[in-house]
Amino acid sequence: MLRSSRFVLFLLVISLIPHWAEAAAIASLKTFIQETRTVRANFSQTLYDKSARTIQESKGTMQFERPEKFRWTYEKPHEQLIVGDGSKVWFYDRDLNQVTERPFNIAIGSSPAALLAGSSAIEDNFELIELGVQNDMEWLEAVPKSKESAFEFIQMGFSPDGTLKIMALRDNFGQTTILSFSELDKNPALPADLFKFTPPDKADVIRE
């Protein structure tokens, strides 16, 4: 797992690399999107502040089905759930028994979910930039075209066989989130109700 400050700093300055490399990572992303309808994977997530200090570490599972359906389950340290069905997105905090409901198009925006599970062409929402090879992975940067995006950029690392291994995101507050994927399964059969959500009884529901 890549958690070192040195690697975080690399993520923040990698855009300075000359863009002469072959478009391997962009090709891997497009192939991944074209050939993948569903995905199931484990993830570990680390959040760093702008000084590369660790704020939070978490783990969980994720599934998505193109177009526009996804489910992110945070198991540690706090149980949280994010579900999108193409119409709405629900954010459920089990500890607080609180649900936040948002319209899908507003909640997803130019987010990682839009990049992986969106219905539109990638270039509609992102400018894609090759970043070359680092740590035996092909890297690209996706810069949201929307000024309303919560992220400055999203960086993605693919193994030589085209498997998505890492996503790194920097938000508008200078914080960096690194998502490392493992046991990624392409095109598994996923039950339809996986992308449905009903607020639990007595949950505090906030609609935005």
Side-chain angles (χ1 to χ4, degrees):
M1 190 182 305
L2 299 176
R3 293 183 176 177
S4 68
S5 296
R6 181 177 179 181
F7 184 71
V8 175
L9 292 176
F10 158 74
L11 290 171
L12 300 181
V13 303
I14 193 173
S15 58
L16 299 177
I17 296 175
H19 303 146
W20 49 262
E22 295 182 2
I26 292 177
S28 292
L29 173 60
K30 291 184 177 181
T31 299
F32 181 83
I33 296 298
Q34 292 169 359
E35 296 182 353
T36 305
R37 183 172 178 270
T38 61
V39 160
R40 176 173 53 216
N42 299 328
F43 70 85
S44 60
Q45 178 176 310
T46 306
L47 175 64
Y48 299 90
D49 66 17
K50 59 184 178 182
S51 299
R53 292 174 297 196
T54 302
I55 299 176
Q56 186 181 64
E57 296 178 334
S58 53
K59 294 183 178 181
T61 61
M62 74 94 163
Q63 300 89 15
F64 73 74
E65 178 178 322
R66 296 177 54 82
E68 299 183 340
K69 296 179 181 179
F70 58 89
R71 183 184 187 95
W72 290 74
T73 305
Y74 290 84
E75 299 167 351
K76 295 181 180 180
H78 305 292
E79 293 187 40
Q80 295 179 318
L81 178 65
I82 306 173
V83 179
D85 68 355
S87 175
K88 298 178 182 179
V89 177
W90 293 271
F91 302 82
Y92 174 49
D93 187 312
R94 186 180 299 274
D95 291 341
L96 298 177
N97 198 25
Q98 179 175 291
V99 177
T100 301
E101 178 187 303
R102 296 174 182 167
F104 187 89
N105 61 333
I106 295 177
I108 190 170
S110 297
S111 69
L115 193 65
L116 295 177
S119 60
S120 58
I122 301 168
E123 286 90 348
D124 288 353
N125 296 314
F126 299 90
E127 177 187 358
L128 302 179
I129 304 168
E130 284 287 341
L131 298 179
V133 178
Q134 177 75 16
N135 293 343
D136 297 323
M137 285 190 290
E138 301 160 347
W139 285 87
L140 65 83
E141 182 169 281
V143 180
K145 292 182 178 180
S146 172
K147 295 181 180 180
E148 303 301 320
S149 173
F151 299 98
E152 291 185 22
F153 59 72
I154 302 168
Q155 294 174 343
M156 306 177 71
F158 290 86
S159 63
D161 66 358
T163 300
L164 176 62
K165 304 296 288 186
I166 297 178
M167 295 183 72
L169 310 88
R170 186 168 71 183
D171 64 25
N172 294 326
F173 299 100
Q175 296 180 333
T176 300
T177 300
I178 296 180
L179 285 159
S180 299
F181 299 105
S182 62
E183 300 182 38
L184 191 148
D185 185 12
K186 292 174 61 176
N187 296 318
L190 299 176
D193 60 2
L194 193 67
F195 307 105
K196 297 179 181 179
F197 181 80
T198 300
D201 291 339
K202 299 182 180 180
D204 181 19
V205 180
I206 302 171
R207 293 181 171 87
E208 298 181 351

